[in-house]
Amino acid sequence: METLVGAKVNLSLAVTGRRDGMHTLDMRVCSVSLGDGVRLSEGGARFSFTETPAGFVPALYTPLLERAYALMHGEWGGEYSFTIAKRIPHLAGLGGSSAPVAGMARLWAKARGVTPDPRFLLRLGSDVPYMFRGGDARVRGTGEEVEGLPFEEREVLIVTVEGGVDTAKAYALYDGMCGEERYAHGDGELFFNDLFPAAVRLNPRVGDAVRALRALGVKDAVMTGSGSAVCAFSPAGGLLALQPELSRLGFGCTMTHTVPESAL
């Protein structure tokens, strides 16, 4: 069995507070056609990689997979091997750390004939409950509240910068910059990210990417997750034409499109 876990792209991200030492969020997210492929089999090495993105070191990532494997084995039983085609960029805010785990959970649950408890999926990682499902959604709390939304077809250009952004450092810097003060956002507002100022301090190229897109006439662009990727959205196309200039400016570009839950 195999599955594709699409990268998680934010259309918005509001930090709403803290609970049990973790930040609570209110996010609009969608899945895109760029994703990690995961294949389940019996026998062989527990984990193997057929593809990896630049800067990704499998040996550093394996402990996270081993932890997830132990939790799933304890919850559902069974023993399986997983082959991973890792395509989502590293340290980009696209759910790259959670995607293989979500894929493992999908396949393991299917093999065992079980429906996962959302509380268990949350134990696997804060992005896993959403990425297990995918598609258009509103995600709240620490990742446990996933509300499916109608699918909206969009072209998405993912712009990546060198250096990435460390998630823990971004949240710590956000706390230092904002304290208890929170931005006010209208219900349904899109294309903002409360973590953007902190990410720009950690990696100024994130801000450069947004400015470059604005200069090229892109209205709907926002940093995804804690960065460092910036995503441009268009329901009518035309983003492909921006790639040559963005590449000339030193940015990485990946052309994708949104995909519904049923395609994952």
Side-chain angles (χ1 to χ4, degrees), residues 36 38 47 49 52 56-68 84 86 90 95-104 124 128:
D36 290 349
V38 183
F47 306 110
F49 292 87
T52 55
F56 181 82
V57 181
L60 297 179
Y61 186 66
T62 300
L64 186 152
L65 296 178
E66 291 284 5
R67 174 186 175 277
I84 300 166
K86 191 81 188 71
H90 188 49
S97 295
S98 296
V101 174
M104 288 169 56
L124 299 175
V128 173

Coordinates of all heavy atoms in Angstrom, one line a residue, residues 36 38 47 49 52 56-68 84 86 90 95-104 124 128:
D36 N 5.1 14.1 0.2 CA 5.9 12.9 0.5 C 5.2 11.6 0.2 O 4.0 11.5 0.6 CB 6.4 12.9 1.9 CG 7.4 14.0 2.3 OD1 7.9 14.6 1.3 OD2 7.6 14.2 3.5
V38 N 4.7 7.6 0.8 CA 5.0 6.6 1.8 C 4.4 5.3 1.3 O 3.3 5.2 0.9 CB 4.5 7.0 3.2 CG1 4.9 6.0 4.2 CG2 4.9 8.4 3.6
F47 N 12.9 1.5 7.9 CA 12.7 2.8 7.2 C 13.8 2.8 6.1 O 14.9 2.5 6.3 CB 12.9 4.0 8.1 CG 12.0 4.0 9.3 CD1 12.5 3.8 10.5 CD2 10.6 4.2 9.1 CE1 11.7 3.8 11.6 CE2 9.8 4.2 10.2 CZ 10.3 4.0 11.5
F49 N 14.8 5.5 2.4 CA 14.4 6.7 1.7 C 14.8 6.5 0.2 O 16.0 6.1 -0.1 CB 15.1 7.9 2.2 CG 14.6 8.3 3.6 CD1 15.2 7.7 4.8 CD2 13.6 9.3 3.7 CE1 14.7 8.1 6.0 CE2 13.2 9.6 5.0 CZ 13.7 9.1 6.1
T52 N 15.3 12.4 -1.2 CA 15.5 13.4 -0.1 C 15.7 14.8 -0.6 O 16.4 14.9 -1.6 CB 16.6 13.0 0.9 OG1 17.8 12.9 0.2 CG2 16.4 11.7 1.6
F56 N 18.5 17.7 3.8 CA 17.8 16.7 4.7 C 18.8 15.6 5.0 O 19.4 15.0 4.1 CB 16.6 16.2 4.0 CG 15.8 15.2 4.8 CD1 14.9 15.6 5.7 CD2 16.0 13.8 4.6 CE1 14.2 14.6 6.5 CE2 15.3 12.9 5.3 CZ 14.4 13.3 6.2
V57 N 18.9 15.2 6.3 CA 19.8 14.2 6.7 C 19.0 13.1 7.3 O 18.5 13.2 8.4 CB 20.9 14.7 7.7 CG1 21.8 13.5 8.1 CG2 21.7 15.9 7.1
P58 N 18.8 12.0 6.6 CA 17.9 10.9 7.1 C 18.3 10.4 8.5 O 17.4 10.2 9.4 CB 18.1 9.8 6.1 CG 18.4 10.5 4.8 CD 19.3 11.6 5.3
A59 N 19.5 10.3 8.9 CA 20.0 9.8 10.2 C 19.5 10.7 11.3 O 19.2 10.3 12.4 CB 21.5 9.7 10.2
L60 N 19.3 12.1 11.0 CA 18.9 13.0 12.1 C 17.3 12.9 12.2 O 16.8 13.3 13.3 CB 19.3 14.4 11.7 CG 20.8 14.7 11.7 CD1 21.1 16.1 11.3 CD2 21.5 14.3 13.0
Y61 N 16.7 12.4 11.2 CA 15.2 12.4 11.2 C 14.7 11.0 11.7 O 13.6 10.9 12.2 CB 14.7 12.6 9.7 CG 13.2 12.7 9.6 CD1 12.5 13.8 10.1 CD2 12.5 11.7 8.9 CE1 11.2 13.9 10.0 CE2 11.2 11.8 8.7 CZ 10.5 12.9 9.3 OH 9.1 13.0 9.1
T62 N 15.5 10.0 11.6 CA 15.1 8.7 12.0 C 14.6 8.5 13.4 O 13.6 7.8 13.7 CB 16.2 7.6 11.7 OG1 16.6 7.7 10.4 CG2 15.8 6.2 12.1
P63 N 15.1 9.2 14.4 CA 14.6 9.1 15.8 C 13.1 9.5 15.9 O 12.3 8.9 16.6 CB 15.5 10.0 16.6 CG 16.8 10.0 15.9 CD 16.4 10.0 14.4
L64 N 12.7 10.5 15.1 CA 11.3 11.0 15.1 C 10.4 9.8 14.5 O 9.4 9.5 15.0 CB 11.2 12.2 14.3 CG 9.8 12.9 14.2 CD1 9.9 14.4 14.0 CD2 8.9 12.3 13.1
L65 N 10.9 9.2 13.5 CA 10.2 8.1 12.9 C 10.1 6.9 13.8 O 9.1 6.2 13.9 CB 10.8 7.6 11.6 CG 10.8 8.7 10.4 CD1 11.5 8.1 9.2 CD2 9.4 9.1 10.0
E66 N 11.2 6.6 14.5 CA 11.2 5.5 15.5 C 10.2 5.7 16.6 O 9.6 4.8 17.1 CB 12.6 5.3 16.0 CG 13.7 4.8 15.0 CD 13.5 3.3 14.7 OE1 12.6 2.7 15.2 OE2 14.4 2.8 14.0
R67 N 10.2 7.0 17.1 CA 9.2 7.3 18.1 C 7.8 7.1 17.7 O 7.0 6.5 18.4 CB 9.4 8.8 18.6 CG 8.3 9.2 19.6 CD 8.4 10.7 19.9 NE 7.4 11.2 20.8 CZ 6.1 11.5 20.3 NH1 5.9 11.4 19.0 NH2 5.2 11.9 21.2
A68 N 7.5 7.6 16.5 CA 6.1 7.4 15.9 C 5.8 5.9 15.7 O 4.7 5.4 16.0 CB 6.0 8.1 14.6
I84 N 10.1 5.7 2.0 CA 9.7 7.2 2.0 C 10.4 7.9 0.8 O 11.6 7.9 0.7 CB 10.0 7.8 3.3 CG1 9.3 7.1 4.5 CG2 9.6 9.3 3.3 CD1 9.8 7.5 5.8
K86 N 11.0 11.4 0.1 CA 10.9 12.7 0.9 C 11.1 13.9 -0.1 O 12.2 14.1 -0.5 CB 12.0 12.7 2.0 CG 11.8 13.8 2.9 CD 10.8 13.5 4.0 CE 10.5 14.7 4.9 NZ 9.8 15.8 4.2
H90 N 13.0 20.9 3.6 CA 13.3 20.9 5.0 C 13.3 22.3 5.6 O 13.6 23.3 4.9 CB 14.7 20.3 5.2 CG 15.1 20.0 6.6 ND1 14.3 19.3 7.5 CD2 16.3 20.3 7.2 CE1 15.0 19.2 8.6 NE2 16.1 19.8 8.5
G95 N 5.2 21.4 6.8 CA 4.8 20.2 7.4 C 5.7 19.0 7.0 O 5.3 17.8 7.2
G96 N 6.9 19.3 6.6 CA 7.8 18.2 6.2 C 8.2 17.2 7.2 O 8.4 16.0 6.9
S97 N 8.3 17.6 8.5 CA 8.6 16.6 9.5 C 7.4 15.7 9.8 O 7.6 14.5 10.2 CB 9.0 17.4 10.8 OG 10.2 18.1 10.6
S98 N 6.2 16.2 9.7 CA 5.0 15.4 10.0 C 4.5 14.6 8.9 O 3.8 13.6 9.1 CB 3.9 16.4 10.5 OG 4.2 17.1 11.6
A99 N 4.8 14.9 7.6 CA 4.2 14.3 6.5 C 4.5 12.7 6.5 O 3.6 12.0 6.3 CB 4.7 14.9 5.2
P100 N 5.8 12.3 6.6 CA 6.0 10.8 6.6 C 5.3 10.1 7.8 O 4.8 9.0 7.6 CB 7.5 10.7 6.7 CG 8.0 12.0 6.2 CD 7.0 13.0 6.6
V101 N 5.2 10.8 8.9 CA 4.5 10.2 10.1 C 3.0 10.1 9.8 O 2.4 9.0 10.1 CB 4.8 11.0 11.4 CG1 3.9 10.5 12.5 CG2 6.2 11.1 11.7
A102 N 2.4 11.1 9.2 CA 1.0 11.0 8.8 C 0.8 9.9 7.8 O -0.2 9.2 7.9 CB 0.6 12.4 8.3
G103 N 1.7 9.8 6.9 CA 1.6 8.7 5.9 C 1.7 7.3 6.5 O 0.9 6.4 6.2
M104 N 2.6 7.2 7.4 CA 2.7 5.9 8.2 C 1.4 5.6 8.9 O 0.9 4.5 8.9 CB 3.9 6.0 9.2 CG 5.3 6.0 8.6 SD 6.6 6.4 9.8 CE 6.3 5.2 11.1
L124 N 1.4 12.0 17.9 CA 2.4 11.8 16.9 C 3.0 13.1 16.4 O 4.1 13.1 15.8 CB 1.8 11.0 15.7 CG 1.2 9.6 16.0 CD1 0.6 9.1 14.8 CD2 2.3 8.7 16.5
V128 N 0.0 16.3 12.6 CA -0.4 15.0 12.1 C -1.9 14.9 12.0 O -2.4 14.3 11.0 CB 0.2 13.9 13.0 CG1 -0.3 12.5 12.6 CG2 1.7 13.9 12.8

